[in-house]
Amino acid sequence: MLVVSLVGFMLAVQYNSLNHQPAERDTRDIWAIRNEIAEQKQAQSELLKEIRDMDHTLYTYERAKSEDPEMALIETVDDLKKRAGFTSLTGPGIEIEIQPSPESIALGLPIETIPADLLTRFINDVNRMSGLIIEIDSKRYTILSAIRDINGVTTVNGLNVKNPPFTIKIVTETFEDSEKVYNYLLASPLHDDFYIDNLIIDIHEPSEQIELNGWTERVDMMYLQQLPKGDN
């Protein structure tokens, strides 16, 4: 009797499973799903890299502070400033000129600021690749940065982006990475989006020496307070 009941229960579960329909079907094609999975994997990879970097910083500080605590603290602060984009740097990378299209110049059309959403889309597309350091029109782009439209003018870090032409610089970890970014941008569909706004993307070949400015804006410490000397 127990065996019969168990078999009946299993058949009922199987019947319900076969006849159960999801409330909503995912109607996206396979490539859209693959792209979303790739984006999620990229985000996970970047998070893991950040965790490894932080672990390395803590390990270096713990190892050095027993020998020279003051020097260890200075080196740690300098390293964090570099990662946050507060210092200038030079490395392999590429330069990209955002220019008015030849047709707009020939027709005498007014040269207007690049739309904020177009610039944001460009930066987000480039940032699919990890380890990139970006400067937009001499303004360092970091995790603290914001691209906004203020009174019809596109801004980065609250500073106006001048009307085209202007330069976007990208520094990569290796020269091989610069070549990957270069080839990726050459084939990017963003060229069509820029052309609709009477703009073109002129991508220079990779270089071993691209110099970026550091973040020059003041950072407000809203929730941090300095302790009086002698307090722990």
Side-chain angles (χ1 to χ4, degrees):
M1 183 68 180
L2 179 61
V3 173
V4 173
S5 299
L6 181 60
V7 170
F9 174 74
M10 293 177 64
L11 289 173
V13 170
Q14 184 177 16
Y15 175 81
N16 288 334
S17 299
L18 292 174
N19 287 274
H20 176 70
Q21 296 293 333
E24 294 183 4
R25 292 185 60 189
D26 194 335
T27 58
R28 296 173 298 174
D29 60 35
I30 187 64
W31 288 108
I33 296 174
R34 286 169 63 91
N35 286 337
E36 183 173 338
I37 293 174
E39 291 176 0
Q40 294 298 325
K41 287 185 175 181
Q42 180 64 37
Q44 292 176 5
S45 176
E46 292 177 359
L47 287 174
L48 288 173
K49 182 178 183 301
E50 291 180 7
I51 292 173
R52 287 195 296 267
D53 289 343
M54 289 300 177
D55 286 342
H56 177 71
T57 299
L58 290 174
Y59 171 75
T60 301
Y61 178 67
E62 290 293 337
R63 186 181 63 179
K65 72 178 183 179
S66 60
E67 302 174 1
D68 190 340
E70 183 177 356
M71 182 57 64
L73 182 59
I74 292 174
E75 290 178 354
T76 302
V77 170
D78 288 342
D79 182 57
L80 293 175
K81 282 183 177 180
K82 181 179 179 181
R83 294 183 188 180
F86 286 96
T87 59
S88 301
L89 62 88
T90 300
I94 61 174
E95 291 189 7
I96 303 151
E97 294 283 345
I98 306 299
Q99 302 176 354
S101 66
E103 291 79 6
S104 65
I105 296 175
L107 294 173
L109 299 178
I111 300 175
E112 300 178 348
T113 183
I114 182 174
D117 61 340
L118 180 59
L119 182 58
T120 300
R121 192 155 67 249
F122 176 84
I123 297 301
N124 289 343
D125 192 55
V126 169
N127 271 333
R128 291 172 181 265
M129 301 184 182
S130 61
L132 305 185
I133 307 173
I134 302 173
E135 177 185 295
I136 305 171
D137 188 26
S138 301
K139 303 163 185 62
R140 188 72 167 270
Y141 184 84
T142 72
I143 57 173
L144 301 175
S145 298
I147 299 174
R148 295 192 178 95
D149 183 307
I150 300 178
N151 298 324
V153 178
T154 297
T155 64
V156 175
N157 304 334
L159 302 175
N160 293 355
V161 176
K162 68 181 181 181
N163 291 352
F166 65 86
T167 302
I168 297 176
K169 297 180 181 180
I170 300 176
V171 166
T172 60
E173 294 180 350
T174 66
F175 186 78
E176 289 73 21
D177 291 336
S178 299
E179 293 179 321
K180 291 179 182 177
V181 176
Y182 173 77
N183 292 325
Y184 175 78
L185 288 176
L186 284 180
S188 173
L190 282 172
H191 288 274
D192 295 333
D193 297 329
F194 274 75
Y195 197 74
I196 292 174
D197 283 294
N198 298 319
L199 298 171
I200 61 172
I201 309 172
D202 183 12
I203 309 164
H204 297 190
E205 292 189 359
S207 170
E208 290 281 6
Q209 297 291 319
I210 298 293
E211 184 175 355
L212 301 188
N213 298 319
W215 176 287
T216 58
E217 302 307 300
R218 181 177 179 270
V219 177
D220 294 325
M221 303 298 184
M222 296 177 61
Y223 304 106
L224 297 179
Q225 296 180 354
Q226 184 175 356
L227 291 174
K229 293 183 178 180
D231 292 356
N232 294 323

